Amino acid sequence: QQQVKQSPQSLIVQKGGISIINCAYENTAFDYFPWYQQFPGKGPALLIAIRPDVSEKKEGRFTISFNKSAKQFSLHIMDSQPGDSATYFCAAEYTGTYKYIFGTGTRLKVLA
Amino acid sequence: NAGVTQTPKFRVLKTGQSMTLLCAQDMNHEYMYWYRQDPGMGLRLIHYSVGEGTTAKGEVPDGYNVSRLKKQNFLLGLESAAPSQTSVYFCASSTRTPPNSPLHFGNGTRLTVT
């Protein structure tokens, strides 16, 4: 049973476009929602994260939107670049446990 | 500063063989984790540890054992490998403070069981 559902599985975007990846969760025991970026042959690395008391967080071209009532959060990549081509994972942490559950990943390809 | 180092990078096993994957971190992190990554399944938590000498089960612990005898090392063992354990294994670590500290991942071990 997937506790964090991520979509789409793959995404192709033109350079300069907006990439949007969505995640949904059911367990209200989650209280921290990071996004990780993974390049081929490497481990995932933290991209941006949000806590549920905030509805949006922006870092450069990357924005997380969080809808607590709908139990959904999404990653927006503005002005997408070929260098953004990677696999993106959303995740959720069980409150106070340091135990993270990940989504199934989205493979993003940005065309030059 | 090496961060999280996984050994080996690649391994091929025959069904029934055993092996141990080694994870070492030099950041003095309290928490360590083993995940497996499979196509379409994302990252699934196998076992984790909140401190030296302690371990706990994650989402998919069956067929694996772990040990954390030293704070900097976290070992993942397969006693009798099965083809279903073919995967890429990632070790990660994090610190207790500040809260919600990010996971730091190694670069993975690609295991094939034939």
Side-chain angles (χ1 to χ4, degrees):
Chain A
Q1 182 180 358
Q2 192 67 35
Q3 296 194 50
V4 179
K5 296 181 179 180
Q6 183 171 347
S7 63
Q9 187 173 2
S10 62
L11 182 61
I12 300 175
V13 174
Q14 293 288 337
K15 179 181 176 181
I18 302 174
S19 303
I20 301 174
I21 305 171
N22 300 299
C23 283
Y25 64 97
E26 296 181 355
N27 195 329
T28 57
F30 296 137
D31 73 342
Y32 180 64
F33 302 89
W35 284 89
Y36 284 80
Q37 179 188 55
Q38 183 183 30
F39 293 104
K42 301 293 186 182
L46 179 70
L47 184 63
I48 187 172
I50 197 168
R51 292 185 60 85
D53 52 351
V54 176
S55 61
E56 184 175 282
K57 183 174 182 179
K58 184 175 181 180
E59 291 184 1
R61 296 184 294 108
F62 301 91
T63 300
I64 299 179
S65 297
F66 189 86
N67 186 329
K68 188 174 182 178
S69 60
K71 297 180 188 173
Q72 295 175 349
F73 57 110
S74 60
L75 174 69
H76 292 64
I77 305 174
M78 311 300 288
D79 187 26
S80 299
Q81 299 296 311
D84 297 330
S85 297
T87 299
Y88 293 81
F89 293 96
C90 62
E93 182 195 355
Y94 285 102
T95 303
T97 67
Y98 296 89
K99 182 178 170 182
Y100 290 83
I101 301 298
F102 283 78
T104 52
T106 296
R107 182 172 293 183
L108 171 65
K109 184 175 178 64
V110 181
L111 302 177
Chain B
N1 200 347
V4 178
T5 302
Q6 291 185 234
T7 315
K9 290 183 170 56
F10 302 93
R11 186 72 187 267
V12 179
L13 287 179
K14 294 185 187 237
T15 298
Q17 288 184 320
S18 63
M19 75 163 293
T20 300
L21 305 183
L22 173 63
C23 177
Q25 53 96 3
D26 61 3
M27 297 172 283
N28 201 35
H29 284 173
E30 296 85 358
Y31 300 93
M32 296 188 75
Y33 312 79
W34 277 106
Y35 285 89
R36 61 177 288 174
Q37 183 175 13
D38 302 290
M41 303 291 287
L43 290 153
R44 292 182 292 169
L45 182 63
I46 305 171
H47 287 281
Y48 64 105
S49 168
V50 299
E52 184 178 321
T54 69
T55 63
K57 294 180 180 180
E59 301 170 83
V60 288
D62 293 343
Y64 305 95
N65 57 76
V66 288
S67 64
R68 184 127 181 246
L69 299 179
K70 294 183 178 180
K71 186 177 183 179
Q72 64 268 34
N73 295 336
F74 195 29
L75 277 61
L76 177 71
L78 286 73
E79 291 185 349
S80 180
S84 61
Q85 294 178 304
T86 293
S87 186
V88 181
Y89 292 85
F90 286 97
C91 176
S93 70
S94 70
T95 184
R96 196 199 327 269
T97 57
N100 306 130
S101 295
L103 297 177
H104 296 260
F105 283 87
N107 285 328
T109 295
R110 184 174 294 274
L111 174 66
T112 301
V113 182
T114 60

